[in-house]
Amino acid sequence: MPSISANGINLSYTDSGGDGRPVVLIHGWPLSGASWSEQVPALTDAGYRVVTYDRRGFGDSDKPGTGYDYDTFAADLGGVLDGLDLQDASLVGFSMGGGEVARYLGTAGDARVRSAVFAAAVPPYLLKTDDNPDGGLGEDDVKGMMDAASSDREGFLDGFTTDFFSAGGELKVTEEQRHEALALAAKAEDAALVACIEAFGTTDFRRDLATIKVPSLVIHGDSDATVPFEVSGKRTADSVAGAELAVIDDAPHGLNVSHAAAFNQHLLAFLEK
């Protein structure tokens, strides 16, 4: 895969090319751009130019050991958009990737952006605080995840990917698909794996969401046990002016794989507007 110099590091990326409107797919934790394998063909078949990239510290991108915060991640995304000179782009952020979409629009603005999609995404703010009582994670929860990822990486990720693809305690993908996700996670740098838990678990995106003026779609599974709809998707849809909301029945966190057909249908219908 080629790499692009963005914000001082090299990010591995794919670009389908062509004259179609660009769609930039921003992956979740602890995966890589390859986790969009169910979406890329559907989007390219519909005529879009599709760009994926591996977040710093993940996949085949540089693993600098630092910079695992959302200001830096948003600047990395900006480097991709600028480096490829993408205009009128739709940004699609899954899970952790929704944070990049929010922070980029909140800091860099929307000059290059046509629309935004928050897919099972972590905004507006996962951490429970005095002024955010509806958050989904306590400080002890975040620390516990970080400690588990540090002390027993393999065991932690095995359990995490099971929950990631499960709804109501039932795995909604094949065991082969779950292991494909584990293989993507295996490329993550240890430091990135742990630091990103703190980033997505404690970053407040509420001000970012309030600035968004481009058409936006929130898509979420109603059975997401990793980033619950009531904590995230519902609140994001309420926070972004004019946002559309698509809730997929019986879908877990990893709904872009488990419910790929429904996910793609909602995504394509939104992009066509």
Side-chain angles (χ1 to χ4, degrees):
M1 285 171 54
S3 63
I4 186 170
S5 179
N7 195 30
I9 65 167
N10 292 317
L11 299 176
S12 179
Y13 76 101
T14 68
D15 182 355
S16 68
D19 298 327
R21 285 207 328 264
V23 178
V24 182
L25 303 175
I26 305 152
H27 69 84
W29 177 94
L31 307 173
S32 71
S35 60
W36 291 106
S37 60
E38 298 291 332
Q39 281 66 56
V40 172
L43 290 165
T44 55
D45 287 349
Y48 296 101
R49 175 184 176 184
V50 183
V51 175
T52 73
Y53 69 95
D54 298 347
R55 182 180 290 106
R56 66 166 59 208
F58 296 82
D60 294 323
S61 287
D62 283 354
K63 298 174 173 59
T66 59
Y68 301 125
D69 61 87
Y70 272 103
D71 288 342
T72 304
F73 296 142
D76 291 349
L77 170 57
V80 173
L81 297 175
D82 295 345
L84 297 177
D85 193 24
L86 301 180
Q87 305 284 349
D88 202 31
S90 294
L91 306 181
V92 183
F94 172 77
S95 191
M96 181 179 179
E100 267 102 326
V101 175
R103 183 54 50 89
Y104 176 81
L105 290 171
T107 54
D110 58 15
R112 291 187 177 273
V113 180
R114 176 191 182 93
S115 59
V117 179
F118 297 91
V122 298
Y125 189 15
L126 287 182
L127 189 68
K128 292 180 181 178
T129 63
D130 289 344
D131 75 339
N132 188 49
D134 296 326
L137 295 174
E139 291 183 2
D140 288 346
D141 297 321
V142 176
K143 184 178 185 301
M145 288 179 66
M146 294 174 69
D147 288 346
S150 298
S151 63
D152 182 15
R153 172 178 170 140
E154 186 174 335
F156 173 76
L157 290 177
D158 185 61
F160 179 82
T161 53
T162 299
D163 294 340
F164 188 97
F165 290 118
S166 293
E170 178 185 351
L171 191 66
K172 297 295 183 178
V173 299
T174 66
E175 190 65 10
E176 180 182 4
Q177 287 173 311
R178 189 180 75 85
H179 278 275
E180 287 172 356
L182 278 172
L184 299 183
K187 289 190 172 186
E189 177 192 51
D190 285 341
L193 190 78
V194 175
C196 283
I197 297 172
E198 182 174 20
F200 68 68
T202 66
T203 301
D204 185 350
F205 300 103
R206 290 176 294 182
R207 290 185 180 179
D208 301 300
L209 295 181
T211 70
I212 296 175
K213 297 180 177 61
V214 297
S216 300
L217 170 68
V218 175
I219 183 169
H220 220 104
D222 70 353
S223 299
D224 188 332
T226 303
V227 181
F229 169 67
E230 292 77 10
V231 169
S232 50
K234 183 179 187 299
R235 296 174 64 203
T236 293
D238 290 340
S239 300
V240 177
E244 296 181 29
L245 175 62
V247 180
I248 298 181
D249 291 342
D250 200 34
H253 189 56
L255 77 172
N256 65 310
V257 177
S258 66
H259 291 64
F263 183 98
N264 293 348
Q265 182 179 9
H266 286 296
L267 177 60
L268 289 168
F270 172 73
L271 293 175
E272 287 168 6
K273 295 177 180 179

